[in-house]
Amino acid sequence: MNQLTRFLVNSILNEDKVPGKTALFGGGFKPPTRGHLDVVTQGLKDNPEVDEVYIFVGSGVRNNISQEEAIKIWEMYKPFIPVKSTIVKAGTPLKDMKHFIEDTEDKPYVFIGARPNNEDDDKDVAERSKFFEKYGAIPKRVNTPDSNISGTRARKAALADNKLELFSYFPDALSDSQKEEIYDMLRSVVKEQVDFKSLEKQLD
């Protein structure tokens, strides 16, 4: 096949091929739950043109669960994401995502999860959408079915050493040994969060 023929064949085969899109998803993820993974996987189903996802994990600490634990858990979730995915060690997710958007030529999507009948989520989607649109991104609301899953509930389950409840916040696709690994990881670090402002008032 000569060069001209190869060019014509490739042109015909790729005629309907649409260039892929990049999607961003950011948060604290202390810890990442199956609800967070659902945002990514459902976002990909809703937007099949996306072929790469960047997940920005914030540096904040909640109940002593750090960025390090959050990233380790996301790495376990990566096999369930059907496109190329990159876990980004972020300072402040919104700020780092803003810089990413400003530095890229294409307008990336930003997945924003929302649970049904949740006014806080609706407000969050509106505020984040306005923020990302300002910098040239395309916000994509992603509706997830389960309203009882959150990082806060997962932390409470870890604090109470309620293994059964904690396991319910992990993706079903994880193996039992992986769930045990996450459980051991969280139980080894999690502790009550001290409300210093409340403590100061009590001392006063």
Side-chain angles (χ1 to χ4, degrees):
M1 185 184 295
N2 63 38
Q3 189 173 357
L4 176 59
T5 305
R6 186 180 294 110
F7 172 78
L8 292 172
V9 170
N10 288 336
S11 296
I12 293 169
L13 291 176
N14 295 318
E15 186 176 8
D16 297 325
K17 188 174 181 180
V18 178
K21 290 290 294 184
T22 297
L24 315 181
F25 180 47
F29 308 125
K30 304 301 185 313
T33 66
R34 64 184 173 93
H36 296 131
L37 180 61
D38 284 346
V39 173
V40 176
T41 55
Q42 185 60 50
L44 293 172
K45 290 177 183 177
D46 295 344
N47 305 278
E49 65 274 21
V50 174
D51 61 8
E52 186 169 12
V53 177
Y54 287 84
I55 299 168
F56 290 73
V57 180
S59 61
V61 176
R62 300 295 297 273
N63 295 107
N64 211 43
I65 300 172
S66 72
Q67 186 180 56
E68 180 182 358
E69 286 81 42
I71 289 176
K72 284 181 180 178
I73 295 171
W74 266 118
E75 290 293 342
M76 292 186 191
Y77 293 178
K78 279 181 69 172
F80 312 126
I81 301 173
V83 301
K84 180 181 178 182
S85 56
T86 302
I87 312 301
V88 180
K89 189 176 183 179
T92 304
L94 283 179
K95 187 181 294 184
D96 288 2
M97 291 165 75
K98 167 184 170 290
H99 292 323
F100 182 100
I101 294 163
E102 291 175 329
D103 290 342
T104 187
E105 293 181 4
D106 194 17
K107 290 185 176 182
Y109 292 166
V110 178
F111 291 161
I112 308 172
R115 292 161 293 188
N117 304 313
N118 190 307
E119 292 183 1
D120 289 337
D121 283 2
D122 292 339
K123 183 179 178 181
D124 185 59
V125 169
E127 291 177 350
R128 287 175 180 252
S129 295
K130 187 176 180 181
F131 174 84
F132 289 119
E133 284 174 346
K134 179 180 178 181
Y135 297 102
I138 303 171
K140 293 286 184 176
R141 178 186 177 120
V142 180
N143 295 312
T144 54
D146 201 326
S147 61
N148 293 319
I149 300 218
S150 70
T152 300
R153 288 174 180 267
R155 290 195 302 275
K156 287 181 178 179
L159 283 165
D161 199 13
N162 189 332
K163 182 188 287 191
L164 189 61
E165 182 182 353
L166 188 59
F167 275 20
S168 73
Y169 298 129
F170 302 152
D172 293 334
L174 284 177
S175 67
D176 289 341
S177 62
Q178 287 175 313
K179 291 178 182 179
E180 288 283 354
E181 184 178 347
I182 296 174
Y183 167 77
D184 290 340
M185 183 194 311
L186 296 182
R187 284 298 302 149
S188 69
V189 299
V190 72
K191 63 183 181 182
E192 290 286 356
Q193 188 164 324
V194 179
D195 186 342
F196 288 103
K197 288 186 178 180
S198 177
L199 184 60
E200 286 177 357
K201 288 182 180 178
Q202 292 178 34
L203 292 174
D204 287 344

